Amino acid sequence: MSSAPHSAVVTLTGHLMDTGILARVLDDVLEYGGDYRIDSLELGRQHGDESRALVEVSAGDTELLDRILMRVQVHGANAVDPGTATTRPAPADGVFPEDFYSTTNLETLVRLDRDWLRVEHPEMDCGLVVSDGSVVRTVPVSDVRAGDAVVCGAHGVRVELPPQAPRGEEDDFGFMSSTVSSEKPQALLVRQIAERMREVKAAGRRVLWVGGPAVVHTGAAPAMVRLVEAGYVDVLFAGNALATHDIESALFGTSLGVDLAKGSGVPHGHEHHIRAINTVRAAGSIAAAVDSGVLTGGVMHALVRAGKPFVLVGSVRDDGPLPDVITDVIDGQRAMRAELHDVGFAIMVATMLHSIATGNLLPASIPLVCVDINPATVTKLADRGSAQAMGIVTDIGLFLEQLARELAP
Amino acid sequence: MSSAPHSAVVTLTGHLMDTGILARVLDDVLEYGGDYRIDSLELGRQHGDESRALVEVSAGDTELLDRILMRVQVHGANAVDPGTATTRPAPADGVFPEDFYSTTNLETLVRLDRDWLRVEHPEMDCGLVVSDGSVVRTVPVSDVRAGDAVVCGAHGVRVELPPQAPRGEEDDFGFMSSTVSSEKPQALLVRQIAERMREVKAAGRRVLWVGGPAVVHTGAAPAMVRLVEAGYVDVLFAGNALATHDIESALFGTSLGVDLAKGSGVPHGHEHHIRAINTVRAAGSIAAAVDSGVLTGGVMHALVRAGKPFVLVGSVRDDGPLPDVITDVIDGQRAMRAELHDVGFAIMVATMLHSIATGNLLPASIPLVCVDINPATVTKLADRGSAQAMGIVTDIGLFLEQLARELAP
Amino acid sequence: MSSAPHSAVVTLTGHLMDTGILARVLDDVLEYGGDYRIDSLELGRQHGDESRALVEVSAGDTELLDRILMRVQVHGANAVDPGTATTRPAPADGVFPEDFYSTTNLETLVRLDRDWLRVEHPEMDCGLVVSDGSVVRTVPVSDVRAGDAVVCGAHGVRVELPPQAPRGEEDDFGFMSSTVSSEKPQALLVRQIAERMREVKAAGRRVLWVGGPAVVHTGAAPAMVRLVEAGYVDVLFAGNALATHDIESALFGTSLGVDLAKGSGVPHGHEHHIRAINTVRAAGSIAAAVDSGVLTGGVMHALVRAGKPFVLVGSVRDDGPLPDVITDVIDGQRAMRAELHDVGFAIMVATMLHSIATGNLLPASIPLVCVDINPATVTKLADRGSAQAMGIVTDIGLFLEQLARELAP
Amino acid sequence: MSSAPHSAVVTLTGHLMDTGILARVLDDVLEYGGDYRIDSLELGRQHGDESRALVEVSAGDTELLDRILMRVQVHGANAVDPGTATTRPAPADGVFPEDFYSTTNLETLVRLDRDWLRVEHPEMDCGLVVSDGSVVRTVPVSDVRAGDAVVCGAHGVRVELPPQAPRGEEDDFGFMSSTVSSEKPQALLVRQIAERMREVKAAGRRVLWVGGPAVVHTGAAPAMVRLVEAGYVDVLFAGNALATHDIESALFGTSLGVDLAKGSGVPHGHEHHIRAINTVRAAGSIAAAVDSGVLTGGVMHALVRAGKPFVLVGSVRDDGPLPDVITDVIDGQRAMRAELHDVGFAIMVATMLHSIATGNLLPASIPLVCVDINPATVTKLADRGSAQAMGIVTDIGLFLEQLARELAP
């Protein structure tokens, strides 16, 4: 086997044939302008067996080759001869060296010298910073400091795919990953999600919720409150809107034009929400409004009572906002990262903005369900790299009602 | 008050101000190229009172004036001086005279001589045929025969709006008409529809269902079967697809790629459906397949067992079709019309084609709920003139599950 | 190599790795409840090379094995030892034998005795009928006659995939197949479609159009007329709606509420369309209305003038319909099939119903572009088996305007 | 006329009947739980005449009455006896008094003593702060300072509707407001928008653009560059994504997986965008990257070269972000407000987040066109109170291409 000057051999292990993952790696090589030769393919002959492929990747120059090698790591393909990592100092605060290694959301290991060091908290589109020669951290570009030792190029970095069952032997939950669809047996999906949440809680891990204001508009807030009270909401990520409409509903009985008790509409009753915000601003915080007896119901009230944290991050369309809202979005991301510890399951309901934001921060190892009546939300999440996202296109109101029936009857 | 040569005064009665109906009439006059003058407006001063308006409509020629007068009847506006109707013989089979009166879906009365005759079975976009000088029938253009006496022009025809409560005093059900929305308290809507169905049955009238194949794909067939068995499905309008996938599911346990029991997908398992069709063709009909023990489950089976009629009308994308499918669409419309007797409530789930087809045939007096995950379906139904359509944007699977829980626990 | 009692070896040739086709075959085997073993895989080591796989498929019984073997033919996988075909007589008019071979839309060959006979006009979801021991026809279930010799089981049938370039070496047009997207350089797509149409015409083949009424509503009828006049519309498949609104627009200057000249709306001007229909019914046909000078503009007028055929097939929601509309949908399918000869390119604009209907009839070898503002239309087309469908999510009005600028400046 | 204790008479002037505005006012009164009596209605008898209504509004208590009176001002209904405004000091920084007057986006006047003072820069959902007894400013709740004199209750505030033509006499542009639709003559719409932009520029006013990343993904960046160079983009509001993908495209020739020159896709090429961001961070700013010759093409480059301002506001899903992005969303709103001066026309393309954010800040007097392939974006904008929003559902790529052809041929 003779190699072109700019080439490297990568290895792929797993259920390569029936998951289509080999096809995707080869695809990416070509798309980036490289070429490939399959050096060997040890077949898992039966579908329960794993396969192992060696693929020689070549490119016109080393810079492109490096970019391709980083790229195919997204699919779990590692160099056979990974070498050791090179680091270079960050040239300024908030700036990586030009050829920095751009991370995936997979389990990542770095070899500086001889040993492979495990990187804490994998997160995509970040850099890797080495401290004390033995600790490697994932650092977003906004947080790198001038002089930090940043891993550069593709050498000395290895990724690990989450363990995967072969097709047809997934646990019950597995099938949902197949495709986004509104044409699936929805009641069955609800039961499976409930089951998964019970398992996660039983294992001592946390359930992360990400929600949009439709939780309130669809009348699902009481169901959500029951889920909080039953212990199935360990932390909530949301924006100003969910909290505002929830509180507006508790204070005035309305939410963006829907009188939830009577079912009769109050179209465009916008001024209620700005009054609700002002009331909480006067109290100082949502918790203070609960403590002082101003706020006596709704999802946010339930979270405060249950002592469960929430992270509200602002957006440019916000009114107010509520005093708890983090108005700096990069600070908001930091606050979200600080609440990812021990999360074993993430569920995103009715919000594209915060779902994608959370998907950006989550490691691939955390199962993630995205529920929305709009198929585009789920599709966008998966397109941006959250491959573990499982999409359910359904009605939030009925979905949460049925989930609460399962978990908090 | 002096009138232009081509003008007529129309009268409108009802909750004109808060329903916006007067605005819509004036709008239409202008859109058609006419003009108006409001001659008088007796105000319902309080919102519980009815109002009465007299509006003089003018147009450049009598033909346009006639077209405008017919048009505003859609909103319940009748000429103050309606005159008597003119009839002309249809020039050929399937052809109306050029200036035929084009019907609305409102209660309609025709004055030939002195008395007002009530027209049976109002239906939009048809003609009015007089027999024996005393019976007036609604006739679609395809069914008119050469020489039939067809009402022409706008004279001698009067319409009646369905009774309406003023805003704010509707029964519980009324609010749904306000707008199509996925952001409404869905659980409440389900309860209200269940309540309405109970009332309709208690009054001795029939519930008409119109369904698409997503009823099966979303796993809602068992819920639908329970509704059939509990007596809440008096007649079903559908196409080849719903029946085929229901029967495919009963025979093979699959429906277009979804193994409903296991929840695991069989993508593009198209050949199962063509085998299901062939099996029923061999049996002769769906009922014969039930009788011979070939078909033992599903929605169609339940309808046959319960002795409830169904009308399956074909479409150009059909495979097969099933032997029960009426392949001529005009014959299909006739079969649907024949099953509208005593219908007191219509519910349309997950089908745009058959929903619009049914909406075209229904009089405005029959309440109609359209349930779909796609907002466009409901919007299109309302746009085409089914003003009584109330839209619910939700998931069919969870919706039918909850409705069955209410009505057939 | 020892085989289970119920097993067969299939072979796959082509760009198996980078197209993902092998993964899809293995997937289908598992989904149908069978199992597989990859006996050999001769790799195309470089991406320009073809690969060849031998896969042993096993199943619990021969009936299931047969069904799997038929299924994987959809992907071009043929049995290594195909044997010869079995035929059985159709038990009745319109009924296949129970184990009939269900067709794909690929080029298909049948071996009855020794030679492979090519099947004319591949079409999915049909049966294969043998006449005179030497002619094999694709026959839809509705057209089979009692006693016809129908191919049964999976033996003796072979399919051929359309020739495919490896990834990265497609012609310019190829990339569109990758995915449905509204986020693609649309102006480039228009130029590529124009180029493809020029090639098809230069090769002496026909361009098939399938259209919905939005062609008229978006104001694109004049652009479409220019395309007809320039010779780029050889045959049009549509429903009653496109033709009606086109003719309504020509007769009254309106189309479902849009005054196209002034741009000012005529909402719900439904009665115009029923008058337009009546006028053409009085004339006898669209061509007669053109000949008599009643119809002087629009798309249908242009087709009549250019001597180009059109097939209008009815649907259950039709008003009227126009006298040219085939109201029996199975007759309509027959009329569509009769116009597929020499078609080298099919373009479907703004219609889900007729796009799927046409997709059902087309062989996989005819390139097919589907243009719609609604992503679901394109997705559904591909899901139903028209794998050659390339989707463009864009605005029909601007798309046809730009296409006409390219082809008929 | 006897009044209930808690009542007030409001007056409405304008084209009340054919615009439906009176119906909406009455509707709101009922929805808020009040009641009404129409005291008088002077009819504009012909449709060119204005009408004038006096409506007595009553409510159970004065607080509710005040809230209703504020509410109906959204439709231009003012109290006949407005009285004078009450002010109360803000109790803390960022907190309004409890009964603060919540603003509309209409021209607003306040009477403190005797004279009516015009409020600068109307903006919805804010408060009114009085300085020096003679200046009234619109202040968002986040910017109010403790002790500021804030107008409270509904007294002493009057609003003015933008001048409106009666139905049927709008200028050419007017019709677009009627409804959101993908079924409109799109080419005509493009010409009308071009004409409007020329008029606005001729009047010495500025054109505001709000854009999302689909401008780049659809290949429309070159068209947008031509519009910038021709002077039709005076200021751009966007997020990190549009600028990043535009710069990524200029630096690497790709944008989120689309090689725009070849048309062939680079799916999920995410790491390019993070490198593009890092490159600009290294340069210090977008302008610095242009000056140093690093960035040589694209929309952002064109804006820098033309000396046109842009405001990029961050969101929680941002990577990086670019150094020019304002990461605090409330600071971002302030920066946007600072660029609204002299804006005579706003056009929003392919972004829901920034469209709604801008809609929140704009006075009702500035015409606003929202262009998106997704109907929901336009609907949401109008629902949130930007009644002047005109929606066009179309393809951004083809739309900008045609607009550039009109304005920068």
Side-chain angles (χ1 to χ4, degrees), chain C residues 304-322:
Chain C
V304 170
R305 279 295 173 90
K308 300 292 186 178
F310 49 84
V311 180
L312 306 180
V313 184
S315 89
V316 66
R317 79 184 149 203
D318 287 348
D319 292 305
L322 288 168

Side-chain angles (χ1 to χ4, degrees), chain B residues 95-354:
Chain B
V95 182
F96 288 136
E98 203 180 331
D99 62 341
F100 73 101
Y101 175 86
S102 175
T103 57
T104 71
N105 58 3
L106 301 173
E107 287 294 314
T108 302
L109 298 103
V110 175
R111 181 161 66 183
L112 297 171
D113 187 5
R114 215 184 51 192
D115 298 328
W116 286 98
L117 305 170
R118 188 165 297 270
V119 175
E120 284 183 14
H121 304 306
E123 180 182 330
M124 69 174 88
D125 292 327
C126 290
L128 296 173
V129 170
V130 181
S131 342
D132 310 324
S134 65
V135 178
V136 190
R137 290 173 298 131
T138 306
V139 176
V141 65
S142 52
D143 289 359
V144 72
R145 296 278 74 86
D148 279 356
V150 179
V151 174
C152 289
H155 291 276
V157 185
R158 191 152 63 78
V159 298
E160 289 176 356
L161 283 180
Q164 286 183 300
R167 287 276 310 165
E169 295 180 12
E170 304 94 339
D171 55 47
D172 279 351
F173 197 63
F175 78 95
M176 289 202 299
S177 59
S178 47
T179 179
V180 175
S181 175
S182 63
E183 299 194 340
K184 273 185 179 163
Q186 305 293 6
L188 181 60
L189 289 174
V190 172
R191 276 197 296 280
Q192 292 178 334
I193 290 169
E195 188 49 42
R196 174 59 51 115
M197 284 191 179
R198 282 192 206 97
E199 291 167 16
V200 166
K201 295 300 301 176
R205 304 193 67 185
R206 301 162 81 214
V207 176
L208 164 65
W209 286 72
V210 185
V215 168
V216 180
H217 301 159
T218 56
M224 186 87 188
V225 167
R226 282 154 62 201
L227 290 165
V228 171
E229 289 170 352
Y232 288 100
V233 182
D234 289 298
V235 54
L236 173 70
F237 292 174
N240 188 52
L242 182 148
T244 295
H245 295 305
D246 174 63
I247 292 170
E248 176 192 353
S249 174
L251 297 183
F252 297 99
T254 59
S255 168
L256 255 192
V258 180
D259 180 330
L260 296 170
K262 290 195 344 191
S264 116
V266 185
H268 318 302
H270 286 170
E271 61 135 58
H272 280 145
H273 82 272
I274 192 76
R275 288 192 192 286
I277 290 168
N278 194 56
T279 298
V280 179
R281 290 177 76 102
S285 71
I286 296 172
V290 171
D291 291 345
S292 65
V294 169
L295 181 62
T296 59
V299 175
M300 302 312 296
H301 172 264
L303 287 167
V304 170
R305 280 294 173 89
K308 299 293 186 179
F310 48 85
V311 180
L312 305 179
V313 184
S315 88
V316 65
R317 79 186 149 202
D318 286 349
D319 291 305
L322 289 168
D324 304 72
V325 169
I326 302 170
T327 59
D328 186 285
V329 293
I330 302 302
D331 284 347
Q333 291 175 356
R334 289 180 189 120
M336 291 162 73
R337 275 190 200 100
E339 284 292 351
L340 295 183
H341 58 88
D342 298 320
V343 167
F345 187 71
I347 180 164
M348 300 167 171
V349 288
T351 166
M352 188 182 291
L353 180 61
H354 290 87

Side-chain angles (χ1 to χ4, degrees), chain D residues 15 25 105 109 198 228 231 238 330:
Chain D
H15 300 280
V25 166
N105 59 3
L109 297 102
R198 281 192 205 98
V228 171
I330 303 301

Side-chain angles (χ1 to χ4, degrees), chain B residues 31 71 94 265 268 281 327, chain C residues 31 71 94 265 268 281 327-328:
Chain B
E31 295 288 17
R71 172 63 193 165
H268 318 302
R281 290 177 76 102
T327 59
Chain C
E31 296 286 17
R71 172 63 192 166
H268 319 303
R281 289 176 78 100
T327 58
D328 186 283

Side-chain angles (χ1 to χ4, degrees), chain C residues 252-332:
Chain C
F252 297 100
T254 60
S255 166
L256 255 191
V258 179
D259 179 330
L260 296 169
K262 290 194 346 192
S264 119
V266 186
H268 319 303
H270 285 170
E271 62 135 57
H272 281 145
H273 83 271
I274 193 76
R275 289 193 191 286
I277 290 168
N278 193 56
T279 298
V280 179
R281 289 176 78 100
S285 73
I286 297 172
V290 171
D291 291 344
S292 66
V294 169
L295 181 61
T296 60
V299 175
M300 302 312 295
H301 172 264
L303 287 167
V304 170
R305 279 295 173 90
K308 300 292 186 178
F310 49 84
V311 180
L312 306 180
V313 184
S315 89
V316 66
R317 79 184 149 203
D318 287 348
D319 292 305
L322 288 168
D324 304 72
V325 169
I326 301 170
T327 58
D328 186 283
V329 293
I330 302 302
D331 285 347

Side-chain angles (χ1 to χ4, degrees), chain A residues 27-28 31-32 66-67 70-71 91 93-102 124-126 140-143 245 252 256 264-275 277-279 281-282 313-321 325-330 332-333 336 352-354 356-357 360 374 382-385, chain D residues 27-28 31-32 63 66-67 70-71 91 93-102 124-126 140-143 245 252 256 264-275 277-279 281-282 313-321 326-330 332-333 336 352-354 356-357 360 374 382-385:
Chain A
D27 223 44
D28 278 2
E31 295 288 17
Y32 266 57
D66 262 25
R67 294 234 312 278
M70 288 188 236
R71 172 63 193 165
D93 281 6
V95 182
F96 288 136
E98 204 180 332
D99 62 341
F100 73 101
Y101 175 86
S102 175
M124 69 174 88
D125 292 326
C126 291
V141 66
S142 52
D143 288 359
H245 295 305
F252 297 100
L256 255 193
S264 116
V266 186
H268 319 302
H270 285 171
E271 62 134 58
H272 281 145
H273 82 271
I274 193 75
R275 289 192 191 286
I277 290 168
N278 193 56
T279 298
R281 289 177 77 101
V313 184
S315 89
V316 65
R317 80 186 148 200
D318 287 349
D319 291 305
V325 169
I326 302 170
T327 58
D328 186 284
V329 293
I330 302 302
Q333 291 175 356
M336 290 161 75
M352 189 182 291
L353 180 62
H354 289 88
I356 293 176
N360 287 349
N374 181 358
D383 279 356
R384 289 177 64 97
Chain D
D27 222 44
D28 278 2
E31 295 287 17
Y32 266 57
E63 193 192 328
D66 262 25
R67 293 235 310 280
M70 288 188 235
R71 172 64 193 165
D93 281 5
V95 182
F96 288 135
E98 204 180 332
D99 62 341
F100 73 100
Y101 175 87
S102 175
M124 68 174 87
D125 292 327
C126 291
V141 67
S142 52
D143 289 359
H245 295 305
F252 298 100
L256 256 191
S264 117
V266 186
H268 318 303
H270 287 169
E271 62 135 57
H272 280 145
H273 82 273
I274 193 75
R275 289 192 191 285
I277 290 168
N278 194 55
T279 298
R281 289 177 78 101
V313 184
S315 90
V316 66
R317 79 186 148 199
D318 287 348
D319 292 304
I326 301 170
T327 59
D328 186 284
V329 294
I330 303 301
Q333 291 175 356
M336 290 161 73
M352 189 181 293
L353 180 62
H354 290 87
I356 293 175
N360 287 347
N374 181 358
D383 279 358
R384 290 178 64 98

